[in-house]
Structure formats: C-alpha cells, structure tokens
Amino acid sequence: MSERVTAVLRRLAELLGSTGRTTGIGRSVLRLQDLLEARLSIEDAGMALAEVLEGQARLLMPLEAGRAHRVREPSFTLAGLDSSSRHLETPPADIVVGTVSATFWRGLGFDWPSLGGGRLWLRGLPYIYILPNDPDLAGRLEVNFATTVNPAGRPFDPDYSVHQALDEMRVSLENWALKTLAGEDLRPHALLLDGPVFLVARAVFDQVAVKYRDSWRALLQDRLDSVRLLEDKGVAVVGVVKRVERSRLLSVAAGIEALLSRCGLRVGAIGDRALIDAALRLGCFKWRPGSILRSPKLRVRLGEGLEKIVEYVVVPLGGFNLSPATARVYRLEYTQRTLSILKSRGLEPVHVFLADSVARDSLEPVTIASSDRRSSSITRALRRMLASTLRAWGVPISYSSMVEVAEDWREALAGS
C-alpha cells in the first residue's frame, strides 16, 4: 500500500526543519527566463503554421447536439482529466505540490495523490517538487513521492523558476494519469483533457534556457507517448482549450481568406477570440437557436514533424442568447488518429464535447469541471497540511505563502 500523504509531508517537514532556519540565499523574485515565458505555446507565440483542413460555407456554422446522444449510450464511456499545482515558500526551499484527477460519467474515477478513501497505488509519480535554495541540501532531502530534479533529470538549482516547476508538475502528472488510464481494464472510449492535447512550448526551440528546453522536450515526448498508448487501445483523446485569446491560428490559416472576406474581415495577426467576437458582431453565420457554432477544422503544424487538428466552438449562454459578451469559446484539439477512431463510430470530436457539456445543460464539459474542482481542492488541502506540519517542525513560511494558505482555509471553511 502506498505511503500515506501525511507521513510523506511529516518526513519532508522533519528534513527541512533539521536544515536550520537560515539555510539558503533565497530564490530570485524575477528572472529573465520568466520573462521569456518558456511555457508559452507556439500557437500563442505566433510560431505555428495552420491551414484549412475541411472547408465550409461560412467561418462559423451552426451545429445541433444531434449525434451527441450516441456518446451518451450505455455502451460508450467518457472521462475528463485535469490537474492542479500550488507552491509554498520557505527559507530552505520552495516546495511545489500537485494533484491529478480523472472523472468518469459513471463512478468517481481517481485522484493522485488521494487524500480520502480512494484508490492507492504501490507506485506513483512524485507529487512534490523540492527546489532547494542551497544546492548542497538536495542530497539531504530524500522523501518518498518527492524529487529535487525536473522532468529531464536536471537538479532544481537556486535560480530555477517556480512558475516553470508549477507547470512542469501539472503536465507530468497528467502524462502519468494518461498512461494509468491506458492500463485500466475499464478504459473510457473517449477522454477530454483540460488544455492542449499536447503542448509544444516555446522553450522546446530555445537555445538559451537549456534546463527548461530539455524539460519541456521530455514532457512533450512523454505526452505524445501517453496519447499514442491510449489511441492504441481505441481511446479518443480530445483537448479542450479555454484560453484562446492569445492564439493566432484562424486569421493566418492558409485557405481562410475567402471565409474572412465574406464577413468583411481580412487576414492578419489578430487573436482568435477577437476574430470570433468580430464575426459574431457582424453576423457572419446562420445561427439556429439551440445550436452551437463551429469553425472549420485546421491542420496545425508545430515543427519537428508534429501536427494536430483544431477547431473552435462557440457555446451560447442560452438557447436563444448568442452574444459575444456571454458566449464561451473553446478550441478542440486532437490527432488525426483520434479523428479516425471517432469517425469509425460515426462521431466527431465536437460530438464528444457536446455530449459532456450542452447535452448535460452545461456551458463546459462536466467531467473536466469535476476533475478541476477535485484536483484544486486536493492541492489546497495538501498546501494547508504541509504548512501546518512545517510550522510544527519550526520551519518558517514566507508572508505571501501564509496569505495564500489563509485563503485556502477560508475556502475550506466556506465549503464545509
């Protein structure tokens, strides 16, 4: 049986408490690598190439739930996946804790780590990153389910960005969960991910911040392997991206010119959300109440032979209210193989999205929202538990971290 979380946190606090309160020089508040936004996707950085894969008459076309009911048949199983990470700052080290959660339509799914009576594994990925402020401490901070190295195996040094570590934690846990789901007897037929199906970060092509580049390359390869493993088992994997304001794919995609010109729009480096809002205001669609709107499919080339398919969906606030101010805009992402898996069932990725959102009277996929709530609540609890344990062992916590922990307690009490 896996070691209990409380024992892991107690051991970590004991080791940090034994280092002395003045150990370390403190972590820099602002570093050049942070300004480079190493995790920024190349879609948001304007570095991706896109082309229209399947044409349509207008930039946005209506689509009713239709075949989404086939996704909800008893013979079809759907799951959602999301992760969370949080940070505590102490003099000896910065500590990052993370959680990943999967939610099925039927049943609770699983969490890693689990704080309740959920499933426990004999082995699981580290859910604690320790970023020591003194490199000599690394060898003295050996704790189960904790690590002092990044996903590429490079030690966290005193200049390592906590923001990068938070991102790396989430992606690494998600990759582990994907592989875990692929090995389950009761695998879902389709899996919705909160975020890109795979992320090609700008750091992948960075020749300066090598430690971040190697980490994101390792995470990318692990994600590609994890998705392929699921697809080998017949599982369709669809990423649901909520933050589309910065991406620039629609307006620069090859073959999009005619659709834009019909709306009085033109090709240019305009953000995708801004372009869709403009199309909504200009009425560049034939909307039917009770339907959503979808863009044409785009093939996105990401360099080094990588590509994925994306499409945008617009979900109105209500069946008779289509306003740019209230509509939700998502980008669905998937591989050609996932598209083929769903087409063999007479489905499209958008039908999976609709079945878990609009068909369930929700503006967003319910399984993802549930996984988000669970993973967020667990990381808040982990941070509260860790803060209390550290203080019991005489380890001071920074003021900003204590403010965040106090907010965690307020949210916990408000929800109890």
Side-chain angles (χ1 to χ4, degrees), residues 56-86:
Q56 57 187 43
R58 296 174 180 268
L59 182 65
L60 299 173
M61 294 291 291
L63 176 70
E64 296 179 358
R67 282 179 290 177
H69 74 277
R70 294 186 56 186
V71 181
R72 297 183 58 79
E73 293 175 354
S75 60
F76 197 98
T77 304
L78 177 65
L81 188 72
D82 199 8
S83 61
S84 174
S85 60
R86 296 181 193 275

PDB file of all heavy atoms in Angstrom, residues 56-86:
ATOM      1  N   GLN A  56     -15.849  24.912 -45.281  1.00  0.00           N
ATOM      2  CA  GLN A  56     -17.277  25.068 -45.050  1.00  0.00           C
ATOM      3  C   GLN A  56     -17.720  26.396 -45.632  1.00  0.00           C
ATOM      4  O   GLN A  56     -16.889  27.228 -46.012  1.00  0.00           O
ATOM      5  CB  GLN A  56     -17.607  24.967 -43.550  1.00  0.00           C
ATOM      6  CG  GLN A  56     -16.886  25.944 -42.653  1.00  0.00           C
ATOM      7  CD  GLN A  56     -17.145  25.654 -41.182  1.00  0.00           C
ATOM      8  OE1 GLN A  56     -17.133  24.506 -40.737  1.00  0.00           O
ATOM      9  NE2 GLN A  56     -17.377  26.706 -40.406  1.00  0.00           N
ATOM     10  N   ALA A  57     -19.037  26.596 -45.705  1.00  0.00           N
ATOM     11  CA  ALA A  57     -19.555  27.757 -46.417  1.00  0.00           C
ATOM     12  C   ALA A  57     -19.268  29.066 -45.704  1.00  0.00           C
ATOM     13  O   ALA A  57     -19.080  30.103 -46.341  1.00  0.00           O
ATOM     14  CB  ALA A  57     -21.064  27.600 -46.638  1.00  0.00           C
ATOM     15  N   ARG A  58     -19.243  29.052 -44.385  1.00  0.00           N
ATOM     16  CA  ARG A  58     -19.035  30.264 -43.608  1.00  0.00           C
ATOM     17  C   ARG A  58     -17.974  30.018 -42.538  1.00  0.00           C
ATOM     18  O   ARG A  58     -17.652  28.881 -42.205  1.00  0.00           O
ATOM     19  CB  ARG A  58     -20.347  30.742 -42.965  1.00  0.00           C
ATOM     20  CG  ARG A  58     -21.412  31.165 -43.965  1.00  0.00           C
ATOM     21  CD  ARG A  58     -22.722  31.479 -43.262  1.00  0.00           C
ATOM     22  NE  ARG A  58     -23.753  31.881 -44.214  1.00  0.00           N
ATOM     23  CZ  ARG A  58     -23.999  33.139 -44.570  1.00  0.00           C
ATOM     24  NH1 ARG A  58     -23.275  34.118 -44.024  1.00  0.00           N
ATOM     25  NH2 ARG A  58     -24.941  33.436 -45.434  1.00  0.00           N
ATOM     26  N   LEU A  59     -17.480  31.115 -41.974  1.00  0.00           N
ATOM     27  CA  LEU A  59     -16.467  31.000 -40.935  1.00  0.00           C
ATOM     28  C   LEU A  59     -17.014  30.242 -39.727  1.00  0.00           C
ATOM     29  O   LEU A  59     -16.307  29.432 -39.117  1.00  0.00           O
ATOM     30  CB  LEU A  59     -15.987  32.393 -40.505  1.00  0.00           C
ATOM     31  CG  LEU A  59     -14.884  32.427 -39.452  1.00  0.00           C
ATOM     32  CD1 LEU A  59     -13.600  31.805 -39.999  1.00  0.00           C
ATOM     33  CD2 LEU A  59     -14.629  33.846 -38.970  1.00  0.00           C
ATOM     34  N   LEU A  60     -18.269  30.487 -39.380  1.00  0.00           N
ATOM     35  CA  LEU A  60     -18.919  29.812 -38.272  1.00  0.00           C
ATOM     36  C   LEU A  60     -20.212  29.181 -38.762  1.00  0.00           C
ATOM     37  O   LEU A  60     -21.037  29.855 -39.375  1.00  0.00           O
ATOM     38  CB  LEU A  60     -19.223  30.796 -37.132  1.00  0.00           C
ATOM     39  CG  LEU A  60     -18.020  31.501 -36.494  1.00  0.00           C
ATOM     40  CD1 LEU A  60     -18.490  32.562 -35.509  1.00  0.00           C
ATOM     41  CD2 LEU A  60     -17.107  30.495 -35.795  1.00  0.00           C
ATOM     42  N   MET A  61     -20.368  27.899 -38.493  1.00  0.00           N
ATOM     43  CA  MET A  61     -21.556  27.176 -38.933  1.00  0.00           C
ATOM     44  C   MET A  61     -22.280  26.587 -37.723  1.00  0.00           C
ATOM     45  O   MET A  61     -21.652  26.148 -36.763  1.00  0.00           O
ATOM     46  CB  MET A  61     -21.163  26.043 -39.890  1.00  0.00           C
ATOM     47  CG  MET A  61     -20.575  26.530 -41.200  1.00  0.00           C
ATOM     48  SD  MET A  61     -21.796  27.363 -42.254  1.00  0.00           S
ATOM     49  CE  MET A  61     -22.845  25.985 -42.722  1.00  0.00           C
ATOM     50  N   PRO A  62     -23.627  26.567 -37.759  1.00  0.00           N
ATOM     51  CA  PRO A  62     -24.387  26.018 -36.617  1.00  0.00           C
ATOM     52  C   PRO A  62     -24.303  24.499 -36.574  1.00  0.00           C
ATOM     53  O   PRO A  62     -24.173  23.833 -37.606  1.00  0.00           O
ATOM     54  CB  PRO A  62     -25.812  26.487 -36.897  1.00  0.00           C
ATOM     55  CG  PRO A  62     -25.868  26.628 -38.385  1.00  0.00           C
ATOM     56  CD  PRO A  62     -24.514  27.076 -38.818  1.00  0.00           C
ATOM     57  N   LEU A  63     -24.375  23.968 -35.367  1.00  0.00           N
ATOM     58  CA  LEU A  63     -24.388  22.517 -35.187  1.00  0.00           C
ATOM     59  C   LEU A  63     -25.247  22.203 -33.976  1.00  0.00           C
ATOM     60  O   LEU A  63     -25.013  22.724 -32.883  1.00  0.00           O
ATOM     61  CB  LEU A  63     -22.961  21.984 -34.972  1.00  0.00           C
ATOM     62  CG  LEU A  63     -22.855  20.488 -34.682  1.00  0.00           C
ATOM     63  CD1 LEU A  63     -23.198  19.679 -35.930  1.00  0.00           C
ATOM     64  CD2 LEU A  63     -21.474  20.130 -34.181  1.00  0.00           C
ATOM     65  N   GLU A  64     -26.236  21.357 -34.159  1.00  0.00           N
ATOM     66  CA  GLU A  64     -27.071  20.921 -33.048  1.00  0.00           C
ATOM     67  C   GLU A  64     -26.447  19.690 -32.401  1.00  0.00           C
ATOM     68  O   GLU A  64     -25.555  19.054 -32.969  1.00  0.00           O
ATOM     69  CB  GLU A  64     -28.487  20.615 -33.549  1.00  0.00           C
ATOM     70  CG  GLU A  64     -29.204  21.852 -34.103  1.00  0.00           C
ATOM     71  CD  GLU A  64     -30.590  21.532 -34.627  1.00  0.00           C
ATOM     72  OE1 GLU A  64     -30.954  20.338 -34.586  1.00  0.00           O
ATOM     73  OE2 GLU A  64     -31.284  22.457 -35.072  1.00  0.00           O
ATOM     74  N   ALA A  65     -26.937  19.354 -31.201  1.00  0.00           N
ATOM     75  CA  ALA A  65     -26.352  18.230 -30.469  1.00  0.00           C
ATOM     76  C   ALA A  65     -26.383  16.954 -31.304  1.00  0.00           C
ATOM     77  O   ALA A  65     -25.421  16.195 -31.326  1.00  0.00           O
ATOM     78  CB  ALA A  65     -27.082  18.038 -29.147  1.00  0.00           C
ATOM     79  N   GLY A  66     -27.488  16.732 -31.994  1.00  0.00           N
ATOM     80  CA  GLY A  66     -27.582  15.629 -32.950  1.00  0.00           C
ATOM     81  C   GLY A  66     -27.017  14.321 -32.459  1.00  0.00           C
ATOM     82  O   GLY A  66     -27.520  13.710 -31.525  1.00  0.00           O
ATOM     83  N   ARG A  67     -25.900  13.911 -33.103  1.00  0.00           N
ATOM     84  CA  ARG A  67     -25.321  12.601 -32.812  1.00  0.00           C
ATOM     85  C   ARG A  67     -24.656  12.524 -31.440  1.00  0.00           C
ATOM     86  O   ARG A  67     -24.158  11.466 -31.048  1.00  0.00           O
ATOM     87  CB  ARG A  67     -24.303  12.243 -33.899  1.00  0.00           C
ATOM     88  CG  ARG A  67     -24.957  11.760 -35.187  1.00  0.00           C
ATOM     89  CD  ARG A  67     -23.925  11.442 -36.235  1.00  0.00           C
ATOM     90  NE  ARG A  67     -23.275  12.636 -36.737  1.00  0.00           N
ATOM     91  CZ  ARG A  67     -22.284  12.616 -37.628  1.00  0.00           C
ATOM     92  NH1 ARG A  67     -21.809  11.472 -38.065  1.00  0.00           N
ATOM     93  NH2 ARG A  67     -21.758  13.743 -38.063  1.00  0.00           N
ATOM     94  N   ALA A  68     -24.638  13.637 -30.712  1.00  0.00           N
ATOM     95  CA  ALA A  68     -24.033  13.587 -29.378  1.00  0.00           C
ATOM     96  C   ALA A  68     -24.730  12.577 -28.481  1.00  0.00           C
ATOM     97  O   ALA A  68     -24.129  12.041 -27.552  1.00  0.00           O
ATOM     98  CB  ALA A  68     -24.075  14.968 -28.730  1.00  0.00           C
ATOM     99  N   HIS A  69     -26.028  12.270 -28.778  1.00  0.00           N
ATOM    100  CA  HIS A  69     -26.727  11.303 -27.921  1.00  0.00           C
ATOM    101  C   HIS A  69     -26.092   9.928 -28.020  1.00  0.00           C
ATOM    102  O   HIS A  69     -26.167   9.123 -27.098  1.00  0.00           O
ATOM    103  CB  HIS A  69     -28.209  11.220 -28.320  1.00  0.00           C
ATOM    104  CG  HIS A  69     -28.451  10.483 -29.595  1.00  0.00           C
ATOM    105  ND1 HIS A  69     -28.328  11.082 -30.830  1.00  0.00           N
ATOM    106  CD2 HIS A  69     -28.785   9.180 -29.838  1.00  0.00           C
ATOM    107  CE1 HIS A  69     -28.599  10.195 -31.783  1.00  0.00           C
ATOM    108  NE2 HIS A  69     -28.870   9.044 -31.209  1.00  0.00           N
ATOM    109  N   ARG A  70     -25.401   9.648 -29.144  1.00  0.00           N
ATOM    110  CA  ARG A  70     -24.751   8.342 -29.281  1.00  0.00           C
ATOM    111  C   ARG A  70     -23.565   8.218 -28.338  1.00  0.00           C
ATOM    112  O   ARG A  70     -23.185   7.111 -27.951  1.00  0.00           O
ATOM    113  CB  ARG A  70     -24.288   8.136 -30.720  1.00  0.00           C
ATOM    114  CG  ARG A  70     -25.429   8.036 -31.718  1.00  0.00           C
ATOM    115  CD  ARG A  70     -24.934   7.700 -33.090  1.00  0.00           C
ATOM    116  NE  ARG A  70     -24.141   6.475 -33.098  1.00  0.00           N
ATOM    117  CZ  ARG A  70     -23.498   6.026 -34.170  1.00  0.00           C
ATOM    118  NH1 ARG A  70     -23.553   6.723 -35.308  1.00  0.00           N
ATOM    119  NH2 ARG A  70     -22.802   4.911 -34.116  1.00  0.00           N
ATOM    120  N   VAL A  71     -22.964   9.358 -27.964  1.00  0.00           N
ATOM    121  CA  VAL A  71     -21.874   9.331 -26.994  1.00  0.00           C
ATOM    122  C   VAL A  71     -22.402   8.990 -25.610  1.00  0.00           C
ATOM    123  O   VAL A  71     -21.675   8.479 -24.758  1.00  0.00           O
ATOM    124  CB  VAL A  71     -21.151  10.698 -26.972  1.00  0.00           C
ATOM    125  CG1 VAL A  71     -19.990  10.694 -25.995  1.00  0.00           C
ATOM    126  CG2 VAL A  71     -20.669  11.069 -28.368  1.00  0.00           C
ATOM    127  N   ARG A  72     -23.671   9.260 -25.378  1.00  0.00           N
ATOM    128  CA  ARG A  72     -24.268   9.052 -24.055  1.00  0.00           C
ATOM    129  C   ARG A  72     -24.928   7.675 -23.923  1.00  0.00           C
ATOM    130  O   ARG A  72     -25.563   7.382 -22.923  1.00  0.00           O
ATOM    131  CB  ARG A  72     -25.290  10.142 -23.774  1.00  0.00           C
ATOM    132  CG  ARG A  72     -24.676  11.537 -23.716  1.00  0.00           C
ATOM    133  CD  ARG A  72     -25.702  12.592 -23.351  1.00  0.00           C
ATOM    134  NE  ARG A  72     -26.334  12.318 -22.075  1.00  0.00           N
ATOM    135  CZ  ARG A  72     -25.785  12.580 -20.894  1.00  0.00           C
ATOM    136  NH1 ARG A  72     -24.581  13.101 -20.836  1.00  0.00           N
ATOM    137  NH2 ARG A  72     -26.434  12.311 -19.775  1.00  0.00           N
ATOM    138  N   GLU A  73     -24.796   6.821 -24.937  1.00  0.00           N
ATOM    139  CA  GLU A  73     -25.354   5.481 -24.844  1.00  0.00           C
ATOM    140  C   GLU A  73     -24.597   4.678 -23.786  1.00  0.00           C
ATOM    141  O   GLU A  73     -23.420   4.936 -23.509  1.00  0.00           O
ATOM    142  CB  GLU A  73     -25.264   4.777 -26.202  1.00  0.00           C
ATOM    143  CG  GLU A  73     -26.160   5.408 -27.263  1.00  0.00           C
ATOM    144  CD  GLU A  73     -25.970   4.767 -28.625  1.00  0.00           C
ATOM    145  OE1 GLU A  73     -25.058   3.926 -28.751  1.00  0.00           O
ATOM    146  OE2 GLU A  73     -26.725   5.102 -29.545  1.00  0.00           O
ATOM    147  N   PRO A  74     -25.245   3.692 -23.157  1.00  0.00           N
ATOM    148  CA  PRO A  74     -24.579   2.893 -22.121  1.00  0.00           C
ATOM    149  C   PRO A  74     -23.295   2.219 -22.599  1.00  0.00           C
ATOM    150  O   PRO A  74     -22.410   1.930 -21.799  1.00  0.00           O
ATOM    151  CB  PRO A  74     -25.644   1.857 -21.741  1.00  0.00           C
ATOM    152  CG  PRO A  74     -26.943   2.501 -22.107  1.00  0.00           C
ATOM    153  CD  PRO A  74     -26.657   3.334 -23.324  1.00  0.00           C
ATOM    154  N   SER A  75     -23.201   1.975 -23.895  1.00  0.00           N
ATOM    155  CA  SER A  75     -22.021   1.285 -24.422  1.00  0.00           C
ATOM    156  C   SER A  75     -20.824   2.221 -24.599  1.00  0.00           C
ATOM    157  O   SER A  75     -19.735   1.764 -24.950  1.00  0.00           O
ATOM    158  CB  SER A  75     -22.360   0.637 -25.773  1.00  0.00           C
ATOM    159  OG  SER A  75     -22.765   1.627 -26.709  1.00  0.00           O
ATOM    160  N   PHE A  76     -21.016   3.517 -24.369  1.00  0.00           N
ATOM    161  CA  PHE A  76     -19.938   4.490 -24.570  1.00  0.00           C
ATOM    162  C   PHE A  76     -19.568   5.107 -23.215  1.00  0.00           C
ATOM    163  O   PHE A  76     -20.451   5.539 -22.471  1.00  0.00           O
ATOM    164  CB  PHE A  76     -20.393   5.587 -25.538  1.00  0.00           C
ATOM    165  CG  PHE A  76     -19.262   6.391 -26.121  1.00  0.00           C
ATOM    166  CD1 PHE A  76     -18.769   6.105 -27.377  1.00  0.00           C
ATOM    167  CD2 PHE A  76     -18.682   7.433 -25.408  1.00  0.00           C
ATOM    168  CE1 PHE A  76     -17.721   6.838 -27.920  1.00  0.00           C
ATOM    169  CE2 PHE A  76     -17.646   8.163 -25.928  1.00  0.00           C
ATOM    170  CZ  PHE A  76     -17.158   7.871 -27.195  1.00  0.00           C
ATOM    171  N   THR A  77     -18.283   5.136 -22.904  1.00  0.00           N
ATOM    172  CA  THR A  77     -17.801   5.686 -21.639  1.00  0.00           C
ATOM    173  C   THR A  77     -16.908   6.887 -21.903  1.00  0.00           C
ATOM    174  O   THR A  77     -16.030   6.829 -22.778  1.00  0.00           O
ATOM    175  CB  THR A  77     -17.000   4.632 -20.845  1.00  0.00           C
ATOM    176  OG1 THR A  77     -17.811   3.480 -20.661  1.00  0.00           O
ATOM    177  CG2 THR A  77     -16.582   5.182 -19.480  1.00  0.00           C
ATOM    178  N   LEU A  78     -17.121   7.953 -21.163  1.00  0.00           N
ATOM    179  CA  LEU A  78     -16.348   9.185 -21.328  1.00  0.00           C
ATOM    180  C   LEU A  78     -15.729   9.576 -19.989  1.00  0.00           C
ATOM    181  O   LEU A  78     -16.311   9.371 -18.935  1.00  0.00           O
ATOM    182  CB  LEU A  78     -17.257  10.314 -21.826  1.00  0.00           C
ATOM    183  CG  LEU A  78     -16.636  11.700 -21.997  1.00  0.00           C
ATOM    184  CD1 LEU A  78     -15.577  11.698 -23.081  1.00  0.00           C
ATOM    185  CD2 LEU A  78     -17.717  12.724 -22.326  1.00  0.00           C
ATOM    186  N   ALA A  79     -14.521  10.137 -20.046  1.00  0.00           N
ATOM    187  CA  ALA A  79     -13.847  10.608 -18.836  1.00  0.00           C
ATOM    188  C   ALA A  79     -13.228  11.972 -19.106  1.00  0.00           C
ATOM    189  O   ALA A  79     -12.950  12.333 -20.257  1.00  0.00           O
ATOM    190  CB  ALA A  79     -12.768   9.621 -18.388  1.00  0.00           C
ATOM    191  N   GLY A  80     -13.013  12.733 -18.028  1.00  0.00           N
ATOM    192  CA  GLY A  80     -12.340  14.025 -18.107  1.00  0.00           C
ATOM    193  C   GLY A  80     -11.140  14.027 -17.184  1.00  0.00           C
ATOM    194  O   GLY A  80     -11.137  13.364 -16.143  1.00  0.00           O
ATOM    195  N   LEU A  81     -10.107  14.792 -17.543  1.00  0.00           N
ATOM    196  CA  LEU A  81      -8.860  14.811 -16.781  1.00  0.00           C
ATOM    197  C   LEU A  81      -8.398  16.244 -16.569  1.00  0.00           C
ATOM    198  O   LEU A  81      -8.436  17.057 -17.496  1.00  0.00           O
ATOM    199  CB  LEU A  81      -7.783  14.025 -17.535  1.00  0.00           C
ATOM    200  CG  LEU A  81      -6.455  13.779 -16.817  1.00  0.00           C
ATOM    201  CD1 LEU A  81      -6.642  12.755 -15.698  1.00  0.00           C
ATOM    202  CD2 LEU A  81      -5.402  13.287 -17.801  1.00  0.00           C
ATOM    203  N   ASP A  82      -7.954  16.540 -15.346  1.00  0.00           N
ATOM    204  CA  ASP A  82      -7.401  17.864 -15.048  1.00  0.00           C
ATOM    205  C   ASP A  82      -6.404  17.735 -13.911  1.00  0.00           C
ATOM    206  O   ASP A  82      -6.400  16.741 -13.170  1.00  0.00           O
ATOM    207  CB  ASP A  82      -8.508  18.854 -14.678  1.00  0.00           C
ATOM    208  CG  ASP A  82      -8.047  20.308 -14.805  1.00  0.00           C
ATOM    209  OD1 ASP A  82      -6.929  20.546 -15.314  1.00  0.00           O
ATOM    210  OD2 ASP A  82      -8.796  21.207 -14.388  1.00  0.00           O
ATOM    211  N   SER A  83      -5.556  18.748 -13.757  1.00  0.00           N
ATOM    212  CA  SER A  83      -4.520  18.723 -12.727  1.00  0.00           C
ATOM    213  C   SER A  83      -4.424  20.098 -12.078  1.00  0.00           C
ATOM    214  O   SER A  83      -4.966  21.088 -12.580  1.00  0.00           O
ATOM    215  CB  SER A  83      -3.168  18.329 -13.324  1.00  0.00           C
ATOM    216  OG  SER A  83      -2.779  19.277 -14.317  1.00  0.00           O
ATOM    217  N   SER A  84      -3.720  20.155 -10.947  1.00  0.00           N
ATOM    218  CA  SER A  84      -3.541  21.398 -10.215  1.00  0.00           C
ATOM    219  C   SER A  84      -2.198  21.357  -9.510  1.00  0.00           C
ATOM    220  O   SER A  84      -1.705  20.285  -9.143  1.00  0.00           O
ATOM    221  CB  SER A  84      -4.682  21.585  -9.204  1.00  0.00           C
ATOM    222  OG  SER A  84      -4.471  22.715  -8.386  1.00  0.00           O
ATOM    223  N   SER A  85      -1.584  22.522  -9.298  1.00  0.00           N
ATOM    224  CA  SER A  85      -0.333  22.602  -8.535  1.00  0.00           C
ATOM    225  C   SER A  85      -0.310  23.905  -7.755  1.00  0.00           C
ATOM    226  O   SER A  85      -0.875  24.908  -8.189  1.00  0.00           O
ATOM    227  CB  SER A  85       0.886  22.506  -9.461  1.00  0.00           C
ATOM    228  OG  SER A  85       0.895  23.554 -10.414  1.00  0.00           O
ATOM    229  N   ARG A  86       0.341  23.863  -6.589  1.00  0.00           N
ATOM    230  CA  ARG A  86       0.450  25.037  -5.723  1.00  0.00           C
ATOM    231  C   ARG A  86       1.833  25.065  -5.092  1.00  0.00           C
ATOM    232  O   ARG A  86       2.577  24.082  -5.119  1.00  0.00           O
ATOM    233  CB  ARG A  86      -0.657  25.043  -4.658  1.00  0.00           C
ATOM    234  CG  ARG A  86      -2.047  25.152  -5.270  1.00  0.00           C
ATOM    235  CD  ARG A  86      -3.155  25.179  -4.243  1.00  0.00           C
ATOM    236  NE  ARG A  86      -4.436  24.967  -4.897  1.00  0.00           N
ATOM    237  CZ  ARG A  86      -5.162  25.921  -5.459  1.00  0.00           C
ATOM    238  NH1 ARG A  86      -4.746  27.173  -5.419  1.00  0.00           N
ATOM    239  NH2 ARG A  86      -6.309  25.649  -6.046  1.00  0.00           N
TER     240      ARG A  86
END
